[in-house]
Amino acid sequence: MRPSSVPPFSELIGECRRSAVHLELRDTYEGYDDGGRFAEWKREGGITPAFEEDFRAWTGLVRETVARGVEMRRVRVVSVPVSEYIRFEYEATHLNEEAGEQVRWLPRTEAATLLVPGADLWIFDDRAIRFGHFTGDGALVRNEMCHDASVIEKFSEAFETIWKRATPHDLFTA
């Protein structure tokens, strides 16, 4: 697999017609520049109206995408007990779901017998994958595109298997 140039996310999601699925595998993205949302959550003790306002760009994009008939799904594979960062994500997930994104959670111990990709990824309409490569503290190193049909097929199958085993957000306890 050779890396290719990475278009902006808005372009990738804008070209979707059927599905956009996201697999998250890390217990922290604290090193990722999130506009200070995680620090605010820790300082304020929860999700604030300011957070919800900042998050509106994402939820607006989700609403627009779902309105076009694109199914958006996300699975987070997490260690249990969950990290503080995952508790933060968990508390904010209702915003993703209210916008139309389906979210499930899979404890890492329940993923042990599954073939799980080595990096976070987005799969767009079974035509392209965008891998996300992160540092140990969760800072984004780079994104990488893959258009290899055999790789896309394998990771699409892996995502579906993970999705089936994962617990819907409203039934998962962080």
Side-chain angles (χ1 to χ4, degrees):
M1 174 177 67
R2 286 181 292 158
S4 63
S5 63
V6 181
F9 184 82
S10 58
E11 181 179 317
L12 293 167
I13 200 75
E15 293 173 354
C16 274
R17 298 295 169 251
R18 294 180 320 281
S19 72
V21 300
H22 187 55
L23 182 62
E24 294 181 4
L25 302 168
R26 305 189 44 76
D27 286 324
T28 187
Y29 295 90
E30 190 168 357
Y32 189 75
D33 180 14
D34 68 353
R37 292 181 187 133
F38 179 55
E40 176 188 66
W41 175 82
K42 289 194 295 187
R43 186 176 59 254
E44 299 296 326
I47 301 300
T48 65
F51 173 91
E52 290 185 28
E53 184 62 35
D54 287 346
F55 205 57
R56 198 174 309 250
W58 174 253
T59 57
L61 179 63
V62 171
R63 281 185 176 87
E64 291 170 15
T65 303
V66 171
R68 290 195 333 262
V70 176
E71 181 180 49
M72 292 186 72
R73 296 181 292 156
R74 176 187 308 254
V75 176
R76 292 177 172 137
V77 179
V78 297
S79 298
V80 175
V82 300
S83 68
E84 186 176 33
Y85 193 92
I86 294 302
R87 279 199 339 265
F88 157 66
E89 284 192 328
Y90 180 83
E91 284 187 29
T93 297
H94 72 279
L95 300 169
N96 298 67
E97 291 204 317
E98 288 167 7
E101 185 177 6
Q102 301 170 57
V103 180
R104 291 188 179 185
W105 302 83
L106 183 64
R108 200 169 306 286
T109 55
E110 294 179 32
T113 59
L114 301 177
L115 297 176
V116 178
D120 285 20
L121 57 80
W122 276 94
I123 304 173
F124 302 98
D125 284 340
D126 297 325
R127 64 173 169 73
I129 297 176
R130 187 188 79 170
F131 291 103
H133 302 286
F134 294 86
T135 63
D137 70 351
L140 180 65
V141 174
R142 68 183 169 93
N143 289 310
E144 174 184 355
M145 292 301 298
C146 174
H147 298 281
D148 181 319
S150 65
V151 172
I152 294 167
E153 180 180 7
K154 288 175 188 169
F155 285 130
S156 293
E157 289 173 8
F159 180 87
E160 292 304 324
T161 301
I162 295 165
W163 179 260
K164 288 175 186 166
R165 190 170 292 184
T167 302
H169 175 68
D170 60 342
L171 301 176
F172 184 77
T173 304

